[in-house]
């Protein structure tokens, strides 16, 4: 295992100020991301995964506050050690240098991410100039090379306007643009949600090839477990702003230890199971302004007992780098194993 994680998040808490009160969008979020590793943040809409993703490069909206925790990024140096960067402590100039050179983000709405009156070449030029990247011929060669890596024809795309490209082409241009300054960390927020199935497949294949070619670390934010599983090494399940389970992708799919993770998996259609139909999770997520006492999932959990409504379960390491927050994770894992062997 590499000695220096690319990213370490510790006890992160984020709140939004609203007229009703403070929305606790994330709380006690902890994870490490190793060099070259891909991690998926999964969960229902409103679970906090996008909030955490945007906080990593401090792109939260004005009414959001990081109320606690640490975000530490590590830049490798020649002797094998690493220089630590406290992302929360960066000033405006330091943050400008950090974004795109160290960490970049691909957003869900590709059309909203582009200036509609600028050609793609101008968007590359503006990004490079703003963050201290290459200029002139070097920029053109780098940009066109990246477009080829994402399976686009530079002759068709480089001088095009965003509206002249399809949704899938724009999404791939965004990925190429995010990689312009060779960041170690790429964050993708639902990059395939607005795309058809065939284009989704193309984008996933592109991301897989890019990881092999460029060896960057990646955070993939999605509500689509099946799609994320094809791309990532590890998965973190979010519920009510907290990571309730994080572990190896294969382990989480074959033997989930948290009832919410198990419920998400049981809601997926499958071709190799005896289940006659998918099963939804009853109830609705809790109000993030007035969170319930104890485990936030207890009102929807079929395995809940009295302690669940009183005490928040602590994080337990059930295996190497596999952590779960559930009082009865052994029962859940046993039931998942029994179901898998039927």
């Amino acid at each position: 295992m590499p000695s220096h994680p690319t990213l370490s998040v510790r006890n992160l808490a984020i709140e939004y100020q609203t007229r009703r009160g403070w929305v606790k969008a994330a709380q006690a979020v902890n994870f490490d991301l190793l060099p070259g590793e891909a991690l998926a943040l999964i969960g229902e809409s409103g679970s906090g995964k996008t909030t955490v993703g945007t906080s990593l490069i401090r792109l939260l909206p004005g009414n959001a506050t990081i109320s606690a925790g640490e975000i530490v990024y590590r830049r490798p140096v020649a002797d094998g050690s690493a220089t630590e960067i406290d992302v929360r402590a960066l000033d405006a100039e330091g943050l400008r240098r950090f974004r795109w050179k160290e960490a970049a983000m691909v957003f869900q709405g590709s059309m909203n991410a582009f200036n509609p009156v600028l050609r793609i070449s101008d968007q590359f030029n503006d990004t490079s100039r703003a963050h201290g990247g290459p200029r002139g011929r070097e920029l053109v060669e780098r940009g066109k090379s990246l477009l080829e890596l994402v399976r686009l024809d530079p002759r068709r795309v480089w001088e095009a306007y965003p509206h002249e490209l399809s949704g899938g082409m724009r999404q791939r241009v965004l990925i190429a643009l995010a990689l312009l300054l060779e960041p170690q960390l790429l964050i993708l927020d639902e990059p395939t949600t607005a795309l058809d199935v065939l284009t989704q497949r193309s984008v996933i294949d592109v991301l897989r090839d890019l990881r092999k070619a460029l060896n960057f670390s990646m955070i993939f934010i999605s509500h689509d477990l099946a799609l994320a599983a094809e791309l990532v090494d590890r998965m973190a399940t979010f519920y009510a702003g907290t990571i309730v389970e994080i572990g190896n992708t294969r382990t989480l799919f074959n033997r989930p230890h948290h009832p919410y993770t198990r419920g998400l998996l049981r809601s997926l259609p499958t071709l190799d199971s005896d289940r006659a139909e998918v099963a939804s999770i009853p109830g609705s997520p809790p109000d993030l302004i007035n969170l319930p006492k104890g485990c936030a999932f207890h009102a929807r959990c079929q395995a809940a007992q009295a302690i669940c409504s009183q005490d928040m379960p602590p994080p337990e390491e059930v295996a190497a780098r596999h952590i779960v927050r559930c009082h009865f994770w052994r029962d859940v894992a046993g039931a998942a194993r029994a179901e898998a062997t039927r």
Side-chain angles (χ1 to χ4, degrees), residues 155-182:
R155 294 170 298 180
R156 162 77 173 85
V157 173
W158 187 248
E159 293 300 330
Y161 288 97
H163 70 269
E164 296 177 315
L165 306 177
S166 69
M169 294 173 73
R170 287 195 299 267
Q171 202 68 50
R172 283 180 281 165
V173 171
L174 269 184
I175 293 170
L177 186 59
L179 295 171
L180 179 61
L181 305 186
E182 303 180 68

Side-chain angles (χ1 to χ4, degrees), residues 237-292:
T237 307
F238 272 77
Y239 187 77
T242 300
I243 294 179
V244 295
E245 185 169 12
I246 181 169
N248 175 274
T249 299
R250 183 180 294 274
T251 301
L252 260 66
F253 259 75
N254 292 335
R255 193 183 174 191
H257 286 54
H258 195 279
Y260 180 61
T261 308
R262 188 180 179 215
L264 289 177
L265 292 171
R266 287 172 60 85
S267 70
L268 294 175
T270 176
L271 298 177
D272 58 357
S273 171
D274 292 333
R275 279 193 284 124
E277 58 183 27
V278 297
S280 63
I281 301 174
S284 301
D287 182 354
L288 295 181
I289 294 177
N290 299 300
L291 283 167

